C-alpha cells in the first residue's frame, strides 16, 4: 500500500484528531501560565515505537507525583498515540503525550479546582543535536546558570520549567558551542536541555544520580553498557571529574546516543566520537529491532 506523504503532524485533543498546527490551548490554562503540566516523548523509528510501555509508565508516574489525572486509561492513551502516528503517515516521528492542569472549574486559586486533560501529538522526527553534530561529536559548555534544585522542582518528573536550561542555551550560543551541560550549585553534573550524560573512564560508564531526569534512553544506555560487559555507576560526579573522562556521550529520545567531544576547553577522545561510545550507539540502534521494545504502527489499517 502506498502511504500518504509525511505530514507536519497530527494531534488529538478533546476526542478529535486534527492537524498539529490547529491544536491550541487557552491562554488562561495553568499549563501555560504556571507551567503546571507534565509530558513524555516517545520515538517512532522506521515505523515502530521504541519502549512505548516504559514511556507510558513514566508518564503515569509523573502525573501521580503532580496530582494530575486524565480520564483516559493506559490502553486508551496507547491507542491515541498510535492513531496520531498512523494518521500522520510518519515513519520517523517524535510523539508526545501531555497532561495539563487546565482551568479552574470554579472561582478558586487551588489546583484541585482545575479540570486536567490529555493531549497527544505526532510530529516529524526531532534531533536534539543536528545530525552533523551527532556525527562529529558535540561541544558543550558548563554555563553559569545552575540547575533548579530538586527540592524545588523534581527533575524526575518531566516538566516545562526550562528557565535554567534556556539561560544555559543562550550561554552556549554566546560561546559558539552546540549546547549546555548544567551543574548544580555544588558543582555536580546534572543534565543538559533534553538529554542525560555519561562519562567513560577506564571502561567504566558513570551517569549522574542527581538533578536529572531518569531518561528512558539513559536506562537503555545503562542496559547496553552492561550487556557489553561494562561497569556502570549511577552516582554524583563533579564537573572536574567528568572532565577527566576518556570519552563522554549524551542520551535522549530525540537522537539516541550522541557523542560529546568537548566540554568547555576539555577535549575527549582526540576531539572525535570515542570508540566505546560508537559501540554503544551501534548497539542502541540495533536494539530497536528487539520485539520486547518494539511496537509496530498499523499504517495500512
Amino acid at each position: 500500500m502506498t502511504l500518504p506523504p509525511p505530514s507536519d503532524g497530527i494531534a488529538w485533543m478533546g476526542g478529535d484528531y486534527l492537524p498539529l498546527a490547529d491544536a491550541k490551548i487557552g491562554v488562561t490554562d495553568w499549563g501555560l501560565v504556571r507551567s503546571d503540566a507534565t509530558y513524555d516523548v516517545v520515538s517512532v523509528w522506521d515505523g515502530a515505537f521504541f519502549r512505548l510501555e516504559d514511556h507510558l509508565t513514566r508518564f503515569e508516574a509523573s502525573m501521580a507525583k503532580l496530582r494530575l489525572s486524565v480520564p483516559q486509561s493506559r490502553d486508551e492513551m496507547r491507542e491515541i498515540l498510535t492513531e496520531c502516528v498512523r494518521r500522520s503517515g510518519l515513519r520517523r516521528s517524535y510523539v508526545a503525550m501531555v497532561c495539563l492542569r487546565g482551568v479552574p472549574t470554579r472561582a478558586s486559586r487551588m489546583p484541585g479546582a482545575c479540570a486536567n486533560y490529555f493531549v497527544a501529538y505526532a510530529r516529524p522526527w526531532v534531533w536534539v543535536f543536528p545530525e552533523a553534530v551527532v556525527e562529529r561529536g558535540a561541544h558543550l559548555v558548563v554555563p553559569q546558570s545552575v540547575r533548579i534544585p530538586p527540592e524545588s522542582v523534581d527533575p524526575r518528573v518531566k516538566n516545562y520549567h526550562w528557565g535554567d536550561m534556556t539561560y544555559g542555551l543562550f550561554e552556549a550560543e554566546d560561546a559558539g558551542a552546540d549546547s549546555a551541560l548544567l551543574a548544580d550549585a555544588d558543582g555536580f553534573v546534572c543534565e543538559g536541555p533534553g538529554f542525560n550524560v555519561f562519562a567513560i573512564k577506564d571502561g567504566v560508564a558513570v551517569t549522574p544520580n542527581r538533578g536529572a531526569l531518569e531518561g528512558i534512553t539513559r536506562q537503555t544506555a545503562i542496559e547496553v553498557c552492561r550487556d557489553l560487559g561494562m561497569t556502570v555507576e549511577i552516582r554524583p560526579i563533579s564537573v572536574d571529574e567528568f572532565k577527566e573522562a576518556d570519552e563522554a556521550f549524551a542520551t535522549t529520545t530525540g537522537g539516541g546516543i550522541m557523542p560529546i567531544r568537548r566540554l568547555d576547553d576539555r577535549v575527549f577522545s582526540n576531539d572525535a566520537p570515542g570508540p566505546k561510545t560508537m559501540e554503544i550507539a551501534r548497539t542502541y540502534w540495533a536494539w530497536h529491532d528487539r520485539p520486547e521494545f518494539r511496537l509496530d504502527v498499523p499504517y495500512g489499517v
Side-chain angles (χ1 to χ4, degrees):
M1 177 179 179
T2 301
L3 295 172
S7 69
D8 292 329
I10 295 293
W12 182 94
M13 289 190 71
D16 297 319
Y17 293 94
L18 65 161
L20 178 57
D22 294 339
K24 304 289 192 294
I25 66 171
V27 296
T28 59
D29 191 302
W30 284 16
L32 171 66
V33 299
R34 297 186 178 180
S35 294
D36 195 353
T38 189
Y39 72 106
D40 217 290
V41 176
V42 59
S43 66
V44 167
W45 190 259
D46 290 344
F49 285 99
F50 183 64
R51 301 194 78 153
L52 175 56
E53 296 308 313
D54 294 306
H55 285 277
L56 285 167
T57 295
R58 186 173 63 180
F59 181 58
E60 291 174 333
S62 294
M63 285 194 291
K65 288 179 180 178
L66 295 180
R67 298 193 186 186
L68 290 163
S69 63
V70 295
Q72 289 76 23
S73 68
R74 184 186 183 109
D75 288 344
E76 289 170 330
M77 289 190 289
R78 186 190 305 106
E79 180 180 348
I80 290 167
L81 294 167
T82 302
E83 185 65 8
C84 284
V85 180
R86 190 192 71 79
R87 291 186 181 219
S88 75
L90 295 166
R91 300 191 67 82
R92 293 187 179 180
S93 179
Y94 170 107
V95 188
M97 57 200 91
V98 185
C99 179
L100 298 107
R101 184 70 67 187
V103 178
T105 55
R106 58 184 184 275
S108 173
R109 293 180 60 83
M110 300 302 290
C114 293
N116 312 155
Y117 63 101
F118 178 67
V119 176
Y121 60 85
R123 60 176 297 182
W125 176 264
V126 176
W127 290 94
V128 169
F129 295 163
E131 290 183 78
V133 173
V134 175
E135 290 176 4
R136 65 165 165 79
H139 175 199
L140 308 183
V141 296
V142 179
Q144 294 297 310
S145 175
V146 299
R147 190 73 176 99
I148 295 173
E151 293 81 8
S152 299
V153 177
D154 187 347
R156 296 169 299 178
V157 176
K158 281 186 76 73
N159 60 74
Y160 294 125
H161 296 273
W162 263 53
D164 52 353
M165 301 287 196
T166 300
Y167 294 139
L169 284 169
F170 275 121
E171 291 185 54
E173 187 175 39
D174 292 342
D178 298 307
S179 192
L181 174 55
L182 277 71
D184 64 18
D186 296 319
F188 288 93
V189 170
C190 295
E191 62 184 343
F195 58 86
N196 296 113
V197 292
F198 287 73
I200 301 176
K201 180 70 173 180
D202 298 327
V204 176
V206 182
T207 189
N209 69 337
R210 56 194 291 165
L213 179 73
E214 295 176 349
I216 304 301
T217 309
R218 170 181 177 265
Q219 181 58 38
T220 306
I222 290 169
E223 294 169 7
V224 166
C225 287
R226 289 172 174 163
D227 191 67
L228 294 174
M230 298 175 62
T231 298
V232 180
E233 296 178 355
I234 304 170
R235 61 171 174 81
I237 178 169
S238 68
V239 172
D240 289 341
E241 182 186 358
F242 197 96
K243 288 182 176 181
E244 292 302 312
D246 302 319
E247 302 179 33
F249 64 90
T251 62
T252 179
T253 295
I257 311 299
M258 307 182 300
I260 299 170
R261 63 187 179 91
R262 295 185 184 184
L263 180 60
D264 294 334
D265 295 329
R266 172 71 167 101
V267 176
F268 301 110
S269 56
N270 295 318
D271 208 19
K276 283 286 187 185
T277 296
M278 297 311 296
E279 183 181 16
I280 295 165
R282 287 191 297 271
T283 306
Y284 167 80
W285 288 109
W287 279 23
H288 280 59
D289 291 328
R290 291 176 57 160
E292 67 268 35
F293 295 149
R294 181 182 179 94
L295 177 65
D296 288 285
V297 177
Y299 295 97
V301 176

